[in-house]
């Protein structure tokens, strides 16, 4: 059974049955199938038109795509509205939850940051599933004269770089990749130091969000920035000069989960299921550079 389908099965059992143990046995819907009947049937008849306002905490890189998906959802489900969605680095979102901020849904850009949220009790682990994949790329300003860039070029000190700080998953992935060419001291991409050419003053600019990192390259403040491919769609003003090899960093996965303190957990679960399956939603995600994790990918990642 795909973990995205366990989201609704498990959560609804918790909400509607309470303390009973759930054993799933149905085959999950494929991503991209028309879920109209499923999602409508999932909501209780007596609450189908009850006005609900959802609060979403989402990784900064999802901002444009999530806004468009929410707008489409509200058009089709006019009893649901969204509060001001918080787009921050995944680490900052966890810090907000730790400080007592309320949210119904958490979508992180890092499995590690979601692990932290689970361990701290911020989300219901039974509702967690892997939603998106992304790609790490190196970008320069649109008018830059850099034709191409590799990790080896960075290691040689050919270019100044911008990288997300430790709260930014894209920065963690970038540092993992830099470790493979001797430019970072810790294989995890967290808690280490820049080495070699990157240890020199002025070679590395750190920032608190992948959006800000992208802007450093767009402005020409640095030669190259490590960002997601989706950020090229989001911001413009930059162009890809290199794709970071996937085998140099952990898989880039965006997990989603229902927050433990959610007062609208069932409605939040229906929204996530729709966002993972609706044809219109899938089109939006793909237009902004995101790919949904398929069942085949889930099995591969779990192995």
């Amino acid at each position: 059974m795909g973990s995205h389908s366990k989201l609704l099965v498990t959560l609804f059992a918790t909400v509607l049955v309470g303390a009973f143990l759930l054993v799933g046995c149905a085959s999950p819907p494929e991503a991209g199938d028309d879920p109209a009947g499923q999602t409508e049937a999932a909501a209780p008849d007596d609450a189908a038109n009850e006005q609900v306002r959802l609060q979403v905490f989402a990784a900064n890189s999802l901002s444009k795509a999530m806004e468009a998906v929410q707008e489409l959802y509200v058009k089709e489900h006019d009893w649901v509205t969204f509060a001001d969605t918080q787009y921050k680095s995944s680490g900052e979102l966890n810090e907000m939850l730790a400080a007592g901020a309320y949210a119904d849904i958490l979508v992180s850009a890092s499995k590690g940051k979601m692990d932290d949220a689970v361990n701290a009790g911020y989300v219901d682990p039974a509702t967690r599933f892997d939603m998106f994949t992304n790609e790490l790329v190196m970008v320069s300003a649109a008018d830059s004269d850099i034709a191409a860039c590799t990790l080896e070029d960075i290691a040689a000190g050919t270019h100044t770089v911008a990288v997300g700080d430790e709260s930014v998953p894209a920065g963690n992935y970038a540092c993992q990749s830099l470790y493979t060419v001797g430019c970072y001291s810790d294989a995890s991409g967290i808690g280490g130091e820049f080495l070699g050419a990157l240890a020199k003053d002025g070679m590395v600019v750190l920032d608190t969000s992948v959006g800000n990192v992208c802007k450093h390259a767009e402005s020409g403040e640095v030669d190259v920035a490590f960002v997601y491919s989706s950020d090229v769609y989001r911001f413009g003003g930059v162009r890809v000069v290199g794709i970071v090899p996937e085998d140099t960093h952990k898989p880039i996965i965006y997990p989603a989960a229902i927050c433990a303190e959610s007062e609208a957990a069932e409605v939040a679960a229906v929204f996530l299921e729709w966002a993972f399956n609706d044809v219109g939603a899938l089109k939006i995600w793909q237009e902004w550079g995101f790919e949904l994790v398929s069942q085949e990918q889930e099995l591969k990642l779990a192995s």
Side-chain angles (χ1 to χ4, degrees):
M1 176 180 288
S3 56
H4 60 283
S5 294
K6 290 180 181 177
L7 171 68
L8 282 183
V9 177
T10 305
L11 182 57
F12 292 168
T14 302
V15 173
L16 301 177
V17 182
F20 286 94
L21 178 64
L22 175 66
V23 179
C25 59
S27 298
E30 297 287 343
D33 287 349
D34 180 2
Q38 300 169 18
T39 53
E40 293 303 322
D45 291 340
D46 61 355
N49 294 318
E50 181 179 348
Q51 295 296 313
V52 179
R53 188 173 180 84
L54 295 177
Q55 175 69 70
V56 178
F57 279 16
N60 185 59
S61 51
L62 286 168
S63 60
K64 299 294 185 182
M66 182 66 78
E67 288 169 4
V69 166
Q70 290 177 351
E71 182 178 353
L72 178 61
Y73 191 74
V74 169
K75 287 181 180 178
E76 298 180 3
H77 307 78
D78 60 5
W79 60 93
V80 178
T81 58
F82 291 90
D84 183 20
T85 298
Q86 297 300 299
Y87 300 107
K88 306 285 185 182
S89 71
S90 298
E92 288 179 302
L93 294 176
N94 282 351
E95 290 173 3
M96 292 171 65
L97 292 171
Y102 175 86
D104 296 296
I105 294 170
L106 175 66
V107 186
S108 176
S110 164
K111 296 185 80 170
K113 299 300 184 186
M114 184 61 81
D115 289 342
D116 293 342
V118 169
N119 293 335
Y122 304 149
V123 299
D124 178 355
T127 67
R128 174 179 176 170
F129 71 107
D130 292 335
M131 198 168 188
F132 305 112
T133 64
N134 212 327
E135 186 175 48
L136 190 66
V137 297
M138 291 173 280
V139 299
S140 289
D143 59 357
S144 168
D145 58 3
I146 298 174
C149 183
T150 66
L151 290 175
E152 289 71 24
D153 293 331
I154 301 298
T158 306
H159 306 297
T160 56
V161 298
V163 181
D165 68 18
E166 291 188 5
S167 73
V168 182
N172 304 154
Y173 297 128
C175 289
Q176 291 165 15
S177 296
L178 292 171
Y179 171 84
T180 67
V181 290
C183 290
Y184 195 76
S185 64
D186 195 300
S188 71
I190 301 174
E193 299 177 348
F194 292 100
L195 304 174
L198 295 189
K200 299 177 182 178
D201 288 344
M203 289 299 296
V204 179
V205 173
L206 295 174
D207 214 318
T208 57
S209 75
V210 68
N212 289 342
V213 169
C214 194
K215 291 175 183 177
H216 287 298
E218 180 184 2
S219 68
E221 181 180 349
V222 299
D223 300 322
V224 173
F226 286 85
V227 301
Y228 298 126
S229 59
S230 59
D231 294 312
V232 181
Y233 295 87
R234 276 206 305 155
F235 297 110
V238 295
R239 57 183 177 80
V240 176
V241 294
I243 297 174
V244 179
E246 291 184 358
D247 61 1
T248 65
H249 58 77
K250 293 180 180 179
I252 299 175
I253 301 296
Y254 287 62
I258 305 301
C259 292
E261 301 300 320
S262 173
E263 298 174 359
E266 185 177 351
V267 177
V270 172
F271 166 68
L272 283 180
E273 181 77 0
W274 174 92
F276 197 89
N277 287 277
D278 181 78
V279 173
L282 291 177
K283 182 178 179 181
I284 292 171
W285 298 127
Q286 291 168 355
E287 284 176 349
W288 288 100
F290 295 97
E291 295 294 334
L292 270 72
V293 175
S294 68
Q295 286 181 285
E296 290 76 18
Q297 287 172 309
E298 287 177 355
L299 294 173
K300 179 180 178 181
L301 290 166
S303 64

